[in-house]
Amino acid sequence: MASLLQPDRAVYLVRGEKKIRAPLSQLYFCRYCSELRSLECVSHEVDSHYCPSCLENMPLTEAKLKKNRCANCFDCPCCMHTLSTRATNIPSPLPDDPTKMAMKKAYYLACGFCRWTSRDVGMADKSVASGGWQEPENPHAQRINKLMEYYQQLAHREKQERDRKKLARRRQCMPLAFSEKYGLGTRLQRQRSGAPISSLAGLSLKEGEDQKEISIEPAQALDEVEPLPEDCYTRPINLPEVTTLRQRLLQPDFQPACASQLHPRHKYLLKKRSLRCRKCEHNLSKPEFNPTSIKFKIQLVAVSYIPEVRIMSIPNLRFNKESQVLLTLTNPVENVTHVTLAACEENDPDDINSTAKVMVPSKELTLAGKDAAAEYDELAEPQDFQDDPDVVAFRKSNKIGFFIKVVPLKEEDGDVTVSFRIRHDFRNLAAPIRPSEEAGDAAAEAIWLTHHVELRLGPLVP
């Protein structure tokens, strides 16, 4: 099948904030809006952070404090694979008699892929397997922390200024005599008892309140720089000892130039996220909270609701000559689905990539419902849909193969692209929020959905 390993050859149009064309396997379907959704037109919400190595779950505040890194797992600085803790025996003098040696267990970090070890950079071995490892100190850490505190103070001041302007506008709308007569000012302050003191006192700090004024020294440009060594251009270069650009960028605080300066880095955390429709604010995807689970509580992928069009066989396409292409159509739902195909109109704003004329079947195609046990049931009686052999090539369970005719109109080096519209009925079986007799009958009614499909059939044959 041509599109089994190339899903981008059959794309569906998503009409969101901007028009996006993507394979059906990469799209979601909102059952409440009855529309396709892409990753560009949904809201992304972070549910949890976890380490991909030890699978430790971490709340958001703790992840921010640890800079989105795991405290116990490390990445190899050379090949970026996960480091493992290895144990070995080393001779160590006895505390009672230093002249006698005894074997003692020591632990170090090692990479099972590139054979890098923490001993290569002079890191001391540990006597216990757990706990922190020796880490180099950043010489600019104090300067960076001071800059962060300074800009946090500036952001706090800007926020106070915005709040002060908002409160000033509210006071202009309320007459002073009216507020004093009925005590509305005191009442508003009681309602906002959880508000900060600065916002209640005219949104300004009191004069006697202690607040540290953080000041930073501006950076000074140096007139003289450290000269290069004399043998910089004559010394032979040993490439295994020189770090790559990727290795340096993974450690921006040190940017080591030699492989002997590489130190293990804490492994980055991964996140589980939920996707929410921006129009109706319903969840489209929500994973389980446990990091060891790969299941989803909610997963409204489009391939579970929308009939999928795939390319099965493509003949030799020639310029201005009619060719017959075999496509497949799969029904993902359990009830019978009726599908009609229609060619795009001449001035269709969605049809911007077509390079060929397409003739689709005019008859309605009927797809059987999905039945997981049907292919294993030999005694099951096949349903008689009275298919036209000129239109339907084969039928198997919930999938059919049908023909379309294509006439390439542009003699270009690119792929031949055709577009058409697919219209099918859909029954929303999701339970309503407030069930009632009328709502129960309306939920089972079929609605008709229309999708714009584009197929990339490949280049022309000379």
Side-chain angles (χ1 to χ4, degrees):
M1 187 173 289
S3 67
L4 183 61
L5 301 178
Q6 298 173 332
D8 56 335
R9 300 190 66 171
V11 296
Y12 286 65
L13 176 65
V14 181
R15 300 178 182 86
E17 297 178 357
K18 54 182 180 180
K19 294 183 179 180
I20 296 174
R21 292 165 173 82
L24 197 65
S25 58
Q26 299 177 8
L27 300 177
Y28 294 86
F29 179 73
C30 181
R31 295 185 299 181
Y32 305 92
C33 302
S34 298
E35 295 178 1
L36 289 174
R37 294 284 181 258
S38 68
L39 292 177
E40 300 290 335
C41 51
V42 296
S43 300
H44 299 255
E45 301 174 358
V46 177
D47 288 346
S48 62
H49 294 79
Y50 68 96
C51 174
S53 179
C54 64
L55 297 178
E56 179 188 358
N57 211 340
M58 198 175 295
L60 179 61
T61 53
E62 186 179 354
K64 284 184 177 180
L65 290 175
K66 294 183 178 180
K67 299 179 180 180
N68 290 329
R69 293 177 181 265
C70 180
N72 303 321
C73 303
F74 293 86
D75 281 336
C76 175
C78 290
C79 63
M80 293 77 191
H81 281 72
T82 304
L83 295 176
S84 57
T85 305
R86 300 286 180 87
T88 184
N89 293 323
I90 58 173
S92 177
L94 292 174
D96 301 335
D97 190 0
T99 58
K100 294 182 180 181
M101 305 295 288
M103 301 305 292
K104 183 182 178 183
K105 269 202 170 184
Y107 298 90
Y108 63 97
L109 295 174
C111 176
F113 187 78
C114 68
R115 305 300 179 186
W116 182 91
T117 64
S118 57
R119 295 177 173 180
D120 296 346
V121 293
M123 289 180 62
D125 296 342
K126 288 176 54 179
S127 57
V128 292
S130 59
W133 291 83
Q134 176 188 356
E135 297 182 17
E137 294 184 2
N138 186 359
H140 308 289
Q142 186 177 359
R143 171 73 174 175
I144 293 173
N145 292 333
K146 201 166 185 180
L147 286 172
M148 290 178 62
E149 292 177 0
Y150 176 73
Y151 284 107
Q152 283 176 359
Q153 184 184 27
L154 287 182
H156 182 65
R157 287 180 180 175
E158 291 176 358
K159 184 177 180 300
Q160 285 184 338
E161 287 292 334
R162 290 195 300 268
D163 293 344
R164 186 183 293 111
K165 290 178 181 179
K166 288 180 183 178
L167 188 62
R169 288 194 214 104
R170 292 175 189 169
R171 286 180 174 175
Q172 289 175 2
C173 300
M174 186 194 312
L176 183 62
F178 181 79
S179 60
E180 289 178 356
K181 180 178 180 181
Y182 296 100
L184 290 180
T186 310
R187 188 175 176 183
L188 286 173
Q189 288 186 0
R190 288 176 184 173
Q191 289 178 356
R192 298 185 58 192
S193 58
I197 298 176
S198 58
S199 63
L200 297 178
L203 292 174
S204 61
L205 294 174
K206 297 178 181 178
E207 296 179 358
E209 189 175 353
D210 295 332
Q211 185 189 18
K212 277 190 175 182
E213 184 71 24
I214 301 174
S215 59
I216 57 173
E217 299 178 0
Q220 300 291 335
L222 299 177
D223 297 333
E224 298 180 0
V225 296
E226 185 178 352
L228 294 173
E230 297 180 356
D231 59 344
C232 177
Y233 299 104
T234 58
R235 182 177 67 246
I237 298 175
N238 188 5
L239 289 179
E241 296 180 359
V242 180
T243 56
T244 62
L245 184 62
R246 184 187 180 193
Q247 292 171 348
R248 299 187 191 189
L249 295 179
L250 284 174
Q251 301 187 10
D253 44 354
F254 298 102
Q255 297 188 13
C258 302
S260 58
Q261 301 173 353
L262 291 173
H263 282 75
R265 306 298 294 172
H266 288 278
K267 182 172 281 293
Y268 277 106
L269 300 177
L270 297 183
K271 61 184 178 182
K272 286 196 170 188
R273 60 179 181 178
S274 299
L275 303 179
R276 191 182 295 273
C277 176
R278 292 182 183 174
K279 187 175 180 180
C280 64
E281 297 187 353
H282 283 90
N283 275 324
L284 301 179
S285 176
K286 188 172 183 63
E288 289 190 355
F289 187 75
N290 189 359
T292 60
S293 176
I294 60 172
K295 297 180 180 179
F296 288 82
K297 297 178 181 178
I298 302 172
Q299 183 73 332
L300 304 181
V301 289
V303 289
S304 300
Y305 299 93
I306 307 300
E308 183 179 11
V309 179
R310 283 188 177 182
I311 306 171
M312 188 168 184
S313 65
I314 305 174
N316 293 331
L317 301 173
R318 289 180 171 83
F319 174 67
N320 220 8
K321 290 187 178 181
E322 184 178 293
S323 303
Q324 191 169 254
V325 180
L326 179 58
L327 306 179
T328 63
L329 194 61
T330 307
N331 181 20
V333 295
E334 297 179 355
N335 51 295
V336 177
T337 302
H338 303 276
V339 179
T340 57
L341 305 177
C344 295
E345 300 177 357
E346 293 184 3
N347 298 325
D348 192 346
D350 298 334
D351 187 16
I352 58 175
N353 299 323
S354 294
T355 60
K357 180 182 178 182
V358 61
M359 288 159 279
V360 297
S362 58
K363 295 183 179 180
E364 183 180 79
L365 304 177
T366 306
L367 299 177
K370 181 180 179 181
D371 187 2
E375 57 180 308
Y376 304 104
D377 190 2
E378 298 178 355
L379 301 177
E381 297 181 359
Q383 299 180 6
D384 185 16
F385 289 99
Q386 299 179 356
D387 297 323
D388 186 358
D390 296 334
V391 176
V392 178
F394 68 90
R395 177 181 293 274
K396 183 179 179 182
S397 185
N398 61 326
K399 180 169 67 174
I400 65 169
F402 64 97
F403 297 105
I404 63 170
K405 295 179 181 180
V406 176
V407 181
L409 300 178
K410 294 183 180 180
E411 196 171 5
E412 298 177 352
D413 296 335
D415 293 339
V416 176
T417 305
V418 297
S419 303
F420 56 89
R421 294 183 180 276
I422 174 174
R423 185 170 180 264
H424 66 96
D425 57 341
F426 172 73
R427 288 177 175 81
N428 193 356
L429 302 179
I433 300 176
R434 295 180 179 177
S436 62
E437 295 180 0
E438 297 179 359
D441 298 338
E445 292 181 1
I447 59 174
W448 287 87
L449 305 179
T450 305
H451 307 288
H452 181 87
V453 182
E454 291 185 6
L455 303 179
R456 189 159 53 87
L457 302 178
L460 292 172
V461 174

